[in-house]
Amino acid sequence: MIKPLIIANWKMNPQTLREAKKLLEVTKKAASKIRNISVVVAPPAVYLFPLAKDVRGNRIAFAAQDVYFETEGAHTGEISMRQVKDAGANHVLIGHSEVRARGETNDDTRKKMITALSAKLIPVLCVGEITRTNTGEYFNFVSEQLTTGFAGVSQTALTHVIVAYEPVWAIGGEETMSPREMHEMTIFIRKVIVGLYGAPGHKVKILYGGSANEENAAPMLRDGNVDGLLVGHVSVDTQRFSALLESLK
Ligand code: PGA
């Protein structure tokens, strides 16, 4: 397997830059002990510049948690792709379920994928069903998120695109998906992307997110057939996140 990619999604934490710097210090230290993984930190946007300016050239890269699809202009409260890129991000989360819950549509994610790629940012398209029933309807839901999200992405851009599958029911809590279930979903996601692009669809990295922790991380990477993890609440708990990285040694 290629070098696993671990994205730390700090969400709206911590509350001060001072704490954010401390958290980054510990994250950097923990990451430096593990060879063969890549760590990307997605802090709140206001911390991007002050954090990223000190770690250029380091093993840690940065992501923005959400960015607007317009490139400039009268969009109060929004941030552009070029702005986050200039602040030190090279990845951007697109379509996180918490952003979708505030009204983001599949079509918005499509536009953001296009603007991200033209700003030379790596988009991480987040997909995942809200609930699961045994009718298998969630496959259609995820397929639609992927098909619309990728609609403006060219085949040549695929090496720079990541998909993070995060079933909403597994986010932030105790309930998590089993690596076996993820294995099935990884195959499904791959099938959808290869259906859109043919063999080059294999270049897209697939991550798992949803209560990823120090116990399930290694089994998920090993048996879930994923290229990495998107970690939420555990990524702001220094002890647990260090243990998670350690478990991947
Ligand atoms: P969680 O969040 O790890 O707290 O479940 C993951 C995410 O929402 O990206």
Side-chain angles (χ1 to χ4, degrees), residues 30-104:
S32 69
K33 290 188 199 145
I34 325 287
R35 284 177 186 282
N36 291 324
I37 57 163
S38 309
V39 177
V40 173
V41 172
V46 284
Y47 301 149
L48 271 174
F49 181 71
L51 295 184
K53 76 177 177 20
D54 294 334
V55 290
R56 291 225 163 108
N58 196 288
R59 292 243 322 272
I60 298 230
F62 289 88
Q65 295 178 8
D66 184 30
V67 184
Y68 200 44
F69 52 73
E70 294 291 354
T71 50
E72 62 187 344
H75 306 290
T76 302
E78 300 292 355
I79 309 174
S80 76
M81 301 282 175
R82 280 191 59 203
Q83 287 167 341
V84 295
K85 170 112 183 153
D86 191 54
N90 44 25
H91 293 64
V92 56
L93 305 186
I94 293 179
H96 189 280
S97 62
E98 287 150 15
V99 181
R100 291 181 189 262
R102 297 196 296 267
E104 176 149 284

Side-chain angles (χ1 to χ4, degrees), residues 22 29 34 53 59 80 84 93 109 119 132 136 142 146 165 171 180 200 209 219 228-229 247:
K22 266 201 218 148
K29 223 181 244 162
I34 325 287
K53 76 177 177 20
R59 292 243 322 272
S80 76
V84 295
L93 305 186
T109 67
R132 226 175 225 220
V142 171
L146 289 167
Y165 171 71
I171 291 179
R180 266 182 72 103
L229 302 167
S247 77

Side-chain angles (χ1 to χ4, degrees), residues 143-186:
S143 169
E144 181 55 41
Q145 288 181 322
L146 289 167
T147 309
T148 308
F150 273 81
V153 176
S154 70
Q155 186 176 305
T156 49
L158 293 179
T159 19
H160 307 293
V161 175
I162 298 172
V163 168
Y165 171 71
E166 299 202 294
V168 179
W169 50 268
I171 291 179
E174 297 316 313
E175 197 178 356
T176 170
M177 208 166 151
S178 73
R180 266 182 72 103
E181 286 173 306
M182 185 59 211
H183 191 102
E184 183 189 35
M185 187 46 90
T186 308

Side-chain angles (χ1 to χ4, degrees), residues 11 87 89 138 158:
K11 307 196 177 186
Y138 56 91
L158 293 179

